[in-house]
Amino acid sequence: MAPGLDEEHRTFIEVIDRKSDHLQRLVDDLLDLARLETGRVALDARTVWLSRLIHQAVDDHRAVATAKNITLTTELAHYLHAHADPMRLRQVLDNLLSNAIKYTPPGGTVTVTAGSPGDSDDHPGHHAAVTVADTGIGIPAGEYEQLFSRFFRASTAKEAGIKGTGLGLTITKAIVDAHGGAITAAPREGGGTVFTVCLPVDPQTSP
């Protein structure tokens, strides 16, 4: 910032900077979404140690959760793997964790669980399921079907004055779809929201 500016002009420049950053993120998200939806993104899918990737993502979000007095916990199967692009899968985890923390009031809880549905020693599961559950402000029942639509924002988020572009979940779904996976959202018993991501364990399977 140029020296010698008065306080009013400094404030104007700071506002312009914030708006410019917001617009740049919006453009980047739209371009990313367009590439995903048209199949122009080549996934570098491989066998990923899913449990470790989740632990890393949770650890990176822990400081923000702690600052907001939100308890962040995990319940993970240790030897859980998935067939996925680790960078893109990390983007999915970051989006879901960021949203859960953002929409959960202080004193709440965000819990991440992961496992293979129907897994056993004799019949290992073909899919890995990851859930991110929060005790947040929740989503009205009639709005769940629109949740992954671009630019859609739940009425509860708008009423609470929580800012967002309405693209994060759309991009998250596009990434999961590109992996041959599935993502769903449902109300959490007692309040809040639960997101579930189901991913193939190997290239030959899909949810």
Side-chain angles (χ1 to χ4, degrees):
M1 190 176 295
L5 288 176
D6 59 35
E7 188 63 31
E8 183 179 10
H9 284 89
R10 285 179 179 272
T11 300
F12 286 151
I13 291 175
E14 288 172 359
V15 170
I16 291 171
D17 283 344
R18 287 197 300 272
K19 295 295 185 182
S20 297
D21 288 344
H22 175 76
L23 287 173
Q24 185 61 58
R25 287 195 299 271
L26 183 60
V27 170
D28 290 344
D29 283 348
L30 284 169
L31 289 173
D32 198 25
L33 181 59
R35 287 190 288 265
L36 285 162
E37 291 182 337
T38 57
R40 286 185 289 151
V41 173
L43 296 178
D44 183 17
R46 64 188 85 162
T47 298
V48 177
W49 188 3
L50 187 56
S51 304
R52 182 170 65 178
L53 195 67
I54 294 171
H55 273 303
Q56 291 171 347
V58 168
D59 286 344
D60 286 349
H61 286 267
R62 197 174 297 283
V64 176
T66 299
K68 199 176 173 183
N69 192 29
I70 291 173
T71 301
L72 187 54
T73 63
T74 59
E75 300 172 10
L76 311 178
H78 184 63
Y79 294 109
L80 184 65
H81 294 80
H83 184 74
D85 182 325
M87 187 173 70
R88 284 295 185 175
L89 184 51
R90 178 59 193 267
Q91 188 177 353
V92 167
L93 295 170
D94 285 338
N95 281 346
L96 294 179
L97 284 166
S98 178
N99 275 0
I101 294 168
K102 185 196 310 188
Y103 297 116
T104 298
T109 302
V110 173
T111 303
V112 184
T113 63
S116 293
D119 197 9
S120 70
D121 291 338
D122 296 328
H123 302 284
H126 294 295
H127 312 117
V130 181
T131 66
V132 178
D134 63 61
T135 59
I137 59 177
I139 299 163
E143 297 182 6
Y144 274 96
E145 61 183 20
Q146 305 174 66
L147 201 54
F148 298 102
S149 302
R150 64 175 64 190
F151 300 120
F152 176 78
R153 301 195 67 232
S155 58
T156 44
K158 291 186 284 189
E159 289 166 3
I162 301 173
K163 296 180 179 180
T165 63
L167 288 173
L169 287 177
T170 310
I171 292 173
T172 298
K173 185 178 187 302
I175 293 172
V176 174
D177 287 347
H179 282 83
I183 182 170
T184 59
R188 174 187 169 275
E189 186 176 352
T193 309
V194 180
F195 285 90
T196 301
V197 175
C198 197
L199 296 166
V201 170
D202 60 65
Q204 285 72 45
T205 60
S206 61

